Amino acid sequence: MASSPSSRGASLWDLPIRMFHWLLVALLGFSWWSGEEHLIDWHRLSGLTILALLLFRLYWGLVGSPTARFARFVRGPGAVLAYVRGTDSTPAPGHNPLGGWSVVAMLVVLFTMVTAGLFAVDVDGLESGPLADYVSFEQGRLAAEIHGFVFNVLLGLVALHLLAIVFYLVRGKNLTAQMITGRSHAPDAAAQASDQARPWLWKAVLGAGGAALIAVAFARGFRF
């Protein structure tokens, strides 16, 4: 017998968001490994793929399902303070006010790291990012240092993210399972309403194609 929608839970995270999340996790791990092993070609390709993912996330934050949109979860200081105090009377599915800003912080750090990598040059000047020709050697070395420093900042954010996952798991909310299945068993009507706003496939295809083309342009140093 097929399970009812209520037993399966309400739709929370759409497929593009879940793919973005898990691909990003895999690529960050691969980027770290390829960098440590000095596999620069693979490291560069991984970084450019991460750039495409980030560009897609910006796009999907404007046209995706409600829980994916920045306008839905990026809220003002008052909402964040109310959430921290436990006085937020308008809970919504998806990211809470504090979690929303953690997403913004993560995206800013990732964009900074990838951008620095595009201009980075190694100590010997033998390996470089696709845009290194647009800056001096000294500027390229500075970009490489920023690239490495921001990666350490990213590790700190990842650690906080993992702590938050454990915190909510102890309280009976499995965020990892939600990001795998895309569904929540939250009983509130707001979560149920998200079932009514699934994005169309063509939007995802359009966004992914556009992000890939932009990433290719960066990979070629805008030389065609």
Side-chain angles (χ1 to χ4, degrees), residues 50-179:
I50 290 174
L51 173 61
L53 282 178
L54 294 175
L55 292 171
F56 175 82
R57 184 61 184 93
L58 289 184
Y59 164 81
W60 206 243
L62 300 176
V63 305
S65 61
T67 53
R69 297 186 183 186
F70 299 121
R72 177 72 168 267
F73 62 79
V74 179
R75 301 171 64 185
V80 175
L81 188 59
Y83 174 78
V84 172
R85 290 176 173 175
T87 58
D88 186 0
S89 60
T90 58
H95 296 295
N96 58 55
L98 187 59
W101 280 104
S102 71
V103 171
V104 173
M106 186 75 76
L107 290 175
V108 169
V109 168
L110 285 167
F111 265 113
T112 302
M113 184 179 69
V114 171
T115 300
L118 292 172
F119 294 93
V121 179
D122 71 355
V123 176
D124 299 319
L126 300 177
E127 299 289 351
S128 61
L131 301 185
D133 290 345
Y134 291 96
V135 298
S136 67
F137 176 78
E138 290 73 18
Q139 291 170 331
R141 288 301 303 144
L142 177 61
E145 293 176 6
I146 293 174
H147 184 69
F149 172 78
V150 175
F151 177 74
N152 291 327
V153 175
L154 177 64
L155 290 179
L157 290 178
V158 169
L160 290 175
H161 182 66
L162 293 175
L163 287 174
I165 290 175
V166 173
F167 172 77
Y168 282 107
L169 184 60
V170 170
R171 299 181 63 182
K173 190 174 184 179
N174 193 331
L175 300 181
T176 302
Q178 290 179 359
M179 190 55 69

Side-chain angles (χ1 to χ4, degrees), residues 27-28 30-31 34 40-54 110 113-115 117-118 147 215:
L27 285 167
L28 286 174
F30 182 79
S31 290
S34 58
I40 303 303
D41 288 341
W42 286 107
H43 186 76
R44 187 183 297 112
L45 178 61
S46 181
L48 289 166
T49 307
I50 290 174
L51 173 61
L53 282 178
L54 294 175
L110 285 167
M113 184 179 69
V114 171
T115 300
L118 292 172
H147 184 69

